[in-house]
Amino acid sequence: MPDIDPEERRVRIAELLLRLRRVGITDQRVVSAIEAVPRDVFVEAETRSEAYAERALPIECGQTISAPVIVGMMTMALDPQVEDRILEIGTGSGYQAAVLAKLSSHVYTIDRFRTLVSTAESRFKTLRLDNITTAASDGTEGWPEHAPFDKIVVTAAADAVPQALFDQLRTGGILVAPVGPPSGVQQLKRFVRTEAGVKETILADVRFVPLIPGVAERL
Ligand code: SAH
């Protein structure tokens, strides 16, 4: 398993931070969190040399780790605060959860594939990220036992955000999710739950893997 040499990692991370700044991801806390999480730990050995490239990469179970700038954009849109409890739907590689864990008090992350959850868990252990709780379950139902959440991030696309997730967001909370057809271009949206209802803004056109209800039967 070819590990990235520490010097190369430093260079790749520095380049990544420049790209973030260029697209307006300037929130210093977000930039520092991305700087602190080695993205190469979250990809498969075969794609390790491309870990810092500006694109999504394939991971196990036919899923993907999002491109770095997308992770930066979603993280900044969530405006994570140190006391926040954040729910992530779609653990995937665990990278987004790791970045959020650097910025908040606790991250709860769910994936429908048990394999992805257990691989991500061992990465969190390696990096001593002890404020992340995982579950292999159906994210369309959220995680009612730990609700309400200050922030929710959905990293798989659906035509509409499941109502259960809005129900588990505290008033004043922020939810970020790709919304649109599973195999087409989706819009990354930011929702704020207010006393008067949910207010939304569109952030960017994106392509995410689909949000599929239910737990995966295999893996
Ligand atoms: N956040 C990830 C990227 C995840 S890709 C990262 O940083 O690497 C989207 C993930 O959503 C996939 O792993 C997929 O299995 C998961 N997913 C799709 N539908 C789901 C559902 N109903 N519940 C939980 N996870 C789901």
Side-chain angles (χ1 to χ4, degrees):
M1 179 163 94
D3 271 347
I4 285 194
D5 125 295
E7 183 50 32
E8 181 179 354
R9 181 188 277 150
R10 263 195 295 280
V11 171
R12 298 278 168 257
I13 291 182
E15 290 169 350
L16 167 53
L17 300 187
L18 274 179
R19 288 202 303 277
L20 294 178
R21 292 218 169 82
R22 238 177 263 139
V23 298
I25 298 158
T26 49
D27 180 323
Q28 194 45 51
R29 294 187 63 238
V30 172
V31 172
S32 301
I34 289 176
E35 184 173 20
V37 178
R39 188 171 156 94
D40 52 283
V41 170
F42 292 86
V43 302
E44 304 293 298
E46 305 79 62
T47 51
R48 194 144 295 146
S49 59
E50 290 188 79
Y52 293 90
E54 196 47 55
R55 63 180 187 90
L57 294 173
I59 58 172
E60 284 179 291
C61 307
Q63 305 304 311
T64 53
I65 172 174
S66 309
V69 158
I70 298 293
V71 174
M73 195 185 288
M74 292 177 92
T75 306
M76 193 161 110
L78 283 175
D79 190 23
Q81 303 296 312
V82 283
E83 69 280 8
D84 278 353
R85 296 167 60 256
I86 304 180
L87 174 67
E88 179 192 33
I89 308 304
T91 311
S93 68
Y95 178 67
Q96 173 78 77
V99 170
L100 292 172
K102 294 277 183 194
L103 293 162
S104 62
S105 84
H106 207 95
V107 176
Y108 298 86
T109 183
I110 299 177
D111 205 286
R112 57 192 293 276
F113 286 101
R114 192 166 291 284
T115 302
L116 293 177
V117 170
S118 61
T119 306
E121 261 191 345
S122 65
R123 291 168 177 159
F124 301 149
K125 267 206 193 87
T126 306
L127 297 175
R128 297 198 173 81
L129 292 166
D130 54 12
N131 59 337
I132 305 177
T133 307
T134 61
S137 63
D138 180 6
T140 64
E141 294 174 4
W143 202 338
E145 292 85 347
H146 296 294
F149 299 96
D150 300 297
K151 311 285 164 65
I152 299 180
V153 60
V154 187
T155 66
D159 284 315
V161 176
Q163 184 55 41
L165 299 183
F166 286 119
D167 294 344
Q168 292 172 31
L169 186 64
R170 76 160 167 81
T171 304
I174 300 170
L175 184 151
V176 174
V179 179
S183 54
V185 176
Q186 305 125 12
Q187 290 179 318
L188 187 62
K189 292 190 176 181
R190 180 186 202 256
F191 301 87
V192 181
R193 181 174 175 177
T194 70
E195 296 283 1
V198 174
K199 291 198 178 124
E200 67 172 72
T201 44
I202 296 171
L203 303 176
D205 284 348
V206 288
R207 262 176 200 276
F208 278 76
V209 295
L211 182 72
I212 300 169
V215 176
E217 273 183 22
R218 294 171 145 264
L219 299 161

